[in-house]
Amino acid sequence: MSILEFKKVNCKDCYKCVRYCPVKSIRVKDHAASILAGECILCGNCTIVCPQHAKEDINDVPMIKVLMSKHETVIAIVAPSFAAYFNISFETMKSTLKKLGFADAEETAVGAELVSRAYEPFMRKDSGAMISSCCPAVNSLIEKYYPDLLGHLLPVKTPMIAHCDVLKKRDKDAFTVFIGPCIAKKREADQSASVDACLTFEELIAWMAEE
């Protein structure tokens, strides 16, 4: 399936997702909402406003569990926003992830520092209006709906990819898993050679509950 879909059995034909989609990439047919993947920027608005919780996205947890059962080296990189979402220290998060079977865990702040350094030359040149490349939803929005702004989008990798590049150079056989709040990261991970899987915080919570 595509990155994000709606479960038809749950959809109640309320059109709320259609009203809140900023790019109008949702259609209702036969009393069920469907997402036009080519037009969707994966901003996640529809998943937030849906009163029936009808969203369904690709879930990499089963694949990750299989790799862990084979004793593969699976490393988690965690978005800094985990602190607000879980209200715990990174040491506690790291310990929890290791209990789930991850070999190690690191904060994506490592990648953010690399990206910040990559921005510096553009800042020194006074390149005019510049748009950060960190958010894949914003990147998709510009690419699909505002192509005239592509020249202002900085040609720099996102922190997730920059961090996973570092991990792959350190251990080319390691399996990298990004964990964060954003569904858009799933598409970015799918298009990246260094990011092997992507989980949302919601999926991590469900996994922890199972354990």
Side-chain angles (χ1 to χ4, degrees):
M1 69 177 187
S2 60
I3 299 294
L4 179 65
E5 293 180 347
F6 282 99
K7 302 173 186 176
K8 292 184 178 180
V9 68
N10 286 24
C11 187
K12 300 300 181 183
D13 205 11
C14 73
Y15 282 80
K16 195 167 186 178
C17 58
V18 175
R19 293 196 301 273
Y20 280 86
C21 177
V23 294
K24 305 306 176 190
S25 65
I26 300 175
R27 300 289 183 272
V28 176
K29 184 177 180 181
D30 298 327
H31 305 288
S34 62
I35 296 172
L36 306 177
E39 299 177 20
C40 175
I41 61 172
L42 288 176
C43 67
N45 271 6
C46 58
T47 69
I48 295 171
V49 302
C50 177
Q52 302 301 323
H53 306 290
K55 68 102 173 175
E56 180 178 33
D57 56 69
I58 291 176
N59 192 327
D60 289 331
V61 170
M63 173 182 61
I64 295 169
K65 286 182 176 180
V66 169
L67 288 166
M68 288 176 172
S69 70
K70 295 179 179 179
H71 305 290
E72 298 286 347
T73 301
V74 184
I75 301 176
I77 62 170
V78 186
S81 54
F82 83 90
Y85 201 94
F86 293 92
N87 193 29
I88 58 175
S89 68
F90 185 70
E91 287 306 311
T92 301
M93 171 61 79
K94 184 174 181 177
S95 174
T96 301
L97 291 171
K98 283 190 170 184
K99 287 178 182 178
L100 285 177
F102 286 93
D104 200 2
E106 297 182 6
E107 283 191 75
T108 320
V110 173
E113 182 179 356
L114 295 172
V115 170
S116 295
R117 291 176 186 172
Y119 284 160
E120 287 179 5
F122 296 97
M123 302 294 287
R124 291 198 193 100
K125 288 191 298 185
D126 189 19
S127 304
M130 293 174 281
I131 303 173
S132 163
S133 61
C134 290
C135 176
V138 170
N139 296 343
S140 292
L141 178 69
I142 293 171
E143 291 166 2
K144 294 180 179 183
Y145 296 96
Y146 300 97
D148 55 313
L149 296 179
L150 282 172
H152 298 283
L153 183 61
L154 292 172
V156 176
K157 295 177 180 179
T158 65
M160 176 183 78
I161 293 179
H163 192 171
C164 285
D165 284 348
V166 170
L167 293 177
K168 288 292 188 180
K169 287 179 182 178
R170 189 189 306 165
D171 182 357
K172 64 181 178 63
D173 296 321
F175 190 89
T176 57
V177 181
F178 176 78
I179 304 175
C182 181
I183 292 176
K185 286 294 186 182
K186 289 178 178 284
R187 178 184 289 160
E188 184 185 8
D190 192 49
Q191 297 171 343
S192 169
S194 60
V195 187
D196 296 310
C198 182
L199 301 180
T200 63
F201 288 149
E202 288 181 350
E203 289 165 344
L204 177 60
I205 287 174
W207 185 1
M208 289 191 295
E210 288 176 8
E211 297 295 330

